[in-house]
Each structure stands twice: as structure tokens, then as C-alpha cells.
């Protein structure tokens, strides 16, 4: 059954009841998070960072209802005569938490800084949007010229990578200090600097110009890196909302918080890519054999501890709005068919080396499990796993110099298949490039057809096979109501109400 992206993004769960214990001051929401890598928008690269910056900033647009265009938030309008040059007009009266005005320069300067400094968020601008020019026309007007037409540009403005920065930090360029006490334009503001491994308190921003006012009197972000500690504290009534669940407590969470947990899809996916220049992998039959020999469900519930969703499509559900797309035949575990296809390939494949990035926590465990599955499912004599340092791994990715299948992670900077597929698949085939070009240039209502054609073509040729997509976990106390999520920002903290505790 098809579920729209908007339904996943804004579906509200209304709850009744009262808290099992005094976890915070009256009306103040306590949230457990891992330590974020950064709170500077352009550097944010993890879910904790997106959730915290999502409380401190308001994006230009947010996802609308099912099959509806994005809703302008900080933007008043987003228009284009040709889908190539876009004009963004800002709403009047918006200010940062320090009282300075939010202007077109706040956005253009932040985006230029991201590209100049090489922050992770720059990929949204350079690879996904293909920005060819930026201009602050006046105090409230931004002009963006793209390298090719893109009908989904208004949806891209939901991205946390495209948030504004105040003139003070654009002038000083003291990014590290700013990340300790970020100044946003959103519903909540920091009352004290962020303390590493401890967290910080935020309170409603009196000067917030948005239409939706925060419902809580404040949010107490508590850094709790151990998921088991988050689970224990919510169970004891000393924490309102947890964002991590330990793998061994996954079933207990579903039972204990039957109507108070939410598993929401994230726009990130992991693939096993093939070195197509290696003649051993030139035949698609060999690539399909390897894909069919992998038991994704066993990996998701085993070494990955229920923290991912086994792939059933090439594009993760967060980008399609489908809860269970099921379009990926090579994703179905079938060891018997895998053996037949390997023999059809006729390459005499008997040994393999799988590559992964050493710095990625926990990768060796599940890559080793894939190696075991391939060894037994394909009757190979040897399957090795080799981790490379980050710099070496990225160099091998850029040079396509692997001599065996390698792990490839991809994330969409905004909630659209285009944001994931175009950077990932560009150059893999003229047909795919053409379909993605048609999807980009088409009106948003027409683009899904081209995405499906591109996905079907990729699943036929299989230059890489999808393994799983990411998802987030939430579970909470009976004191909370109005818990909603967004594919990029995670839980929308300004929508949550904290009822009175006994």
C-alpha cells in the first residue's frame, strides 16, 4: 500500500495519559540524544545534529500534505519561469536569536561559505542542486541559477544544509565557536552554550516570526550516548523522549510503548557496489548472483540490531513515500537462484574481497556476515573483508580502483529520489542519465514516472545492489502529545506538548 512522503512526514500521534515521574520542570521536554558531530548547519552530518538544529532553525519550506507542493515557512514565495533560474522571496520581519535581521545575504553568504569551506552540506548545492550562481538581489530576494532545470527546487529548500547564518559569523568565520552556541531563526534558542557530552537547554524564542509557536516551555537536550541508558531513563520516568533504542530491547520497546513509539524512514541508504571495470563482474548475471546470495533481513535483525530497514527497492522509502515498495527482485534472498546465475556468468569466480571504510563504526561485523553468506551461498573458496582508512577509501572511490565489491553509502540532502539518484548514478549509463535528466526538468507531478524508469533500469543492470536504508526510533512518556517526524529533521520538537505531571 502506497504511503505518501507527506504522510510519513507529518502524521501525528495523539496520546492520552500522564507521566510516570518528574523528568523535568513543568512543561519542559527532556530529550535523549547522542553527541552531535556539529551544530553548524553546513557541517551537520548526523541525525542528532539535524534534530537539534531543527529546533533552532526554521527552513525556507517544509513538506506539504500528500501530493501537495512544499509549504513556504521562512520563504514567502519560490518561483521560476523556466525551472532553471529560481527566485526566493523571504517573509518580512524574521530575526535571528541575537536580534539581527534575516536577509537574503544570510542565505547566500551561508551557502557560499559551505561551498568555499567544503562542508558536508555543500553536496546539496554542488552535486544535488548543481548551483551555478547565487545572488542576493535585495534584502528579501535570493536568485539561484542552476546548471540544469530542476522542478523540485522548492522541495530542496527543506534541507538543513540550506539554513541561514547571521552576519556576525559570516564576517568572523569563527565557525567552531559558533557551533558551540549556534544562533538560528527558529522557534527555540539556546540559553547557554552547548556542553560536549552533557547537552544544553533551549527555550522559546520570543522574537520568532513563524506561524506555529512552540508548545513546550523549553527543551532539555541530554547527551546520552548509550541507547540502553535512554531506554532505562524513559522507563524510569526521568526522560520524556528517547531517540535511540538498544538492539536487545527492540521487542520490549514495541511491547512496552505500543502506542508511544515511532519508526520513521530516513533518506539514507547503503549499497554494495561492483567494480565494473573488473571482467569478473562484467556480466550482470554475476552481480545478480551476489545480490541474491545476501540475506538482508538476517543482517538487519542480526549484526545491525534492528537499526536499519532491509532494502526492498533501490530508492529508500523516505524518498518515495512507500512503506514497502517491493520493486527490487535482486534484493530477495534466494541462494539457489544465486548459484544458477553465478554459473551462467561463466567467469569462474572463486574468491572475493569486500571493502569497507574503517572509520565507520560497526561495519566490519556486518560486512563479515555478508562474506559468510556469499561464501556459503555461492560456494566460493574464499571471501575476504578489508577495511581501508577513510582517506584511502575515498581516494579509491574517486578513482574506482577497488578490485572487489565495496560498501557505498548515500544520503539525499532533500526528500526526493533525484537528490539520491543523480549523484549516485550519473555516468552509469546513457539511458539512466537521460531518465534522470527528464525527471529533473519535469514538473514535480510528472517526475515519479522517470524515477521509476531509472530505478527499473538500474535494477536490471545492477551496477550496485541496495542493502538497506536507515530509520530513526522514537519512544516517549505518557506526558507527551503531538509527536510528529520529518524525514530530514527527525522529531519536530516545536509541535510536542508536555502535559502536567503529578
Amino acid at each position: 500500500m502506497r504511503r505518501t512522503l507527506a504522510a510519513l512526514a507529518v502524521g501525528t500521534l495523539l496520546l492520552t495519559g500522564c507521566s510516570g515521574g518528574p523528568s523535568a520542570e513543568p512543561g519542559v521536554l527532556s530529550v535523549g540524544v547522542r553527541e552531535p558531530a556539529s551544530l553548524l548547519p553546513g557541517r551537520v552530518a548526523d541525525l542528532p545534529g539535524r534534530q537539534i538544529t531543527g529546533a533552532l532553525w526554521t527552513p525556507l519550506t517544509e513538506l506539504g500534505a500528500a501530493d501537495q507542493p512544499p509549504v513556504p515557512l521562512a520563504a514567502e514565495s519560490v518561483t521560476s519561469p523556466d525551472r532553471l533560474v529560481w527566485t526566493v522571496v523571504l517573509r518580512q520581519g524574521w530575526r535571528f536569536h541575537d536580534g539581527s535581521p534575516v536577509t537574503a545575504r544570510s542565505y547566500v553568504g551561508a551557502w557560499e561559505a559551505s561551498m568555499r569551506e567544503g562542508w558536508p552540506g555543500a553536496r546539496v548545492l554542488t552535486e544535488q542542486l548543481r548551483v551555478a550562481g547565487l545572488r542576493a538581489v535585495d534584502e528579501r530576494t535570493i536568485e539561484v541559477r542552476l546548471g540544469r532545470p530542476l522542478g523540485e527546487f522548492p522541495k530542496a529548500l527543506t534541507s538543513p544544509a540550506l539554513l541561514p547564518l547571521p552576519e556576525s559569523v559570516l564576517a568572523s568565520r569563527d565557525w567552531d565557536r559558533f557551533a558551540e552556541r549556534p544562533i538560528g531563526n527558529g522557534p527555540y534558542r539556546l540559553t547557554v552554550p552547548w556542553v560536549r557530552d552533557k547537552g544544553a537547554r533551549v527555550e522559546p524564542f520570543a522574537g520568532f516570526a513563524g506561524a506555529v509557536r512552540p508548545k513546550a516551555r523549553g527543551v532539555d537536550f541530554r547527551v546520552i550516548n548509550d541507547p540502553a541508558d535512554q531506554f532505562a531513563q524513559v522507563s524510569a520516568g526521568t526522560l520524556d523522549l528517547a531517540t535511540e533504542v538498544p538492539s536487545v530491547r527492540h521487542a520490549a520497546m514495541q511491547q512496552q510503548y505500543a502506542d508511544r513509539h515511532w519508526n520513521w524512514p530516513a533518506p539514507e541508504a547503503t549499497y554494495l557496489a561492483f567494480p565494473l571495470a573488473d571482467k569478473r563482474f562484467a556480466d550482470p548475471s554475476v552481480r545478480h548472483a551476489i545480490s541474491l546470495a545476501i540475506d538482508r533481513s538476517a543482517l538487519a535483525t542480526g549484526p545491525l540490531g534492528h537499526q536499519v530497514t532491509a532494502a526492498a527497492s533501490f530508492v529508500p522509502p523516505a524518498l518515495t513515500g512507500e512503506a514497502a515498495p517491493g520493486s527490487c527482485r535482486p534484493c530477495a534472498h534466494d541462494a539457489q537462484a544465486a548459484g544458477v546465475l553465478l554459473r551462467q556468468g561463466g567467469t569462474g569466480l572463486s574468491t572475493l574481497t569486500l571493502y569497507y571504510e574503517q572509520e565507520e563504526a560497526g561495519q566490519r561485523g556486518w560486512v563479515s556476515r555478508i562474506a559468510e553468506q556469499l561464501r556459503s551461498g555461492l560456494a566460493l573458496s574464499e571471501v575476504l573483508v578489508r577495511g581501508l582508512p577513510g582517506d584511502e577509501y575515498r581516494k579509491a572511490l574517486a578513482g574506482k580502483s577497488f578490485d572487489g565489491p565495496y560498501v557505498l553509502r548515500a544520503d539525499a540532502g532533500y526528500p526526493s529520489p533525484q537528490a539520491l539518484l543523480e549523484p549516485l548514478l550519473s555516468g552509469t549509463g546513457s539511458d539512466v542519465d537521460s531518465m534522470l535528466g527528464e525527471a529533473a526538468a519535469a514538473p514535480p507531478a510528472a517526475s515519479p514516472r522517470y524515477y521509476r524508469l531509472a530505478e527499473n533500469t538500474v535494477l536490471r543492470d545492477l551496477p550496485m545492489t541496495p542493502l538497506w536504508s536507515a530509520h530513526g526510533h522514537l519512544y516517549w512518556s505518557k506526558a507527551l502529545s503531538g509527536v510528529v517526524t520529518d524525514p530530514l529533521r527527525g522529531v519536530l520538537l516545536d509541535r510536542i506538548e508536555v502535559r502536567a505531571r503529578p
Side-chain angles (χ1 to χ4, degrees), residues 239-382:
L239 184 71
D240 290 318
L241 178 68
T243 58
E244 302 273 350
V245 59
S247 58
V248 296
R249 304 294 285 174
H250 191 267
M253 177 202 68
Q254 293 180 320
Q255 182 177 7
Q256 187 172 339
Y257 301 93
D259 60 348
R260 290 183 283 121
H261 80 270
W262 188 243
N263 180 335
W264 51 275
E268 305 169 16
T270 297
Y271 300 85
L272 189 68
F274 300 102
L276 301 182
D278 189 322
K279 63 181 181 181
R280 296 178 301 163
F281 305 100
D283 192 318
S285 297
V286 174
R287 305 195 291 271
H288 277 260
I290 291 173
S291 182
L292 290 169
I294 299 173
D295 188 342
R296 292 160 176 79
S297 295
L299 292 166
T301 58
L304 289 161
H306 303 277
Q307 304 301 314
V308 301
T309 301
S313 63
F314 193 89
V315 179
L319 305 181
T320 62
E322 297 186 10
S327 63
C328 180
R329 174 66 184 89
C331 295
H333 180 227
D334 190 337
Q336 183 176 359
V340 172
L341 284 171
L342 186 64
R343 290 191 291 273
Q344 286 180 359
T347 62
L349 187 69
S350 61
T351 63
L352 274 180
T353 300
L354 306 180
Y355 291 89
Y356 68 95
E357 186 176 349
Q358 286 178 347
E359 279 80 357
E360 291 284 347
Q363 280 213 45
R364 184 173 183 84
W366 60 259
V367 174
S368 296
R369 186 69 63 88
I370 290 178
E372 294 170 8
Q373 292 178 351
L374 296 180
R375 187 183 301 110
S376 60
L378 298 176
L380 302 178
S381 60
E382 186 176 50

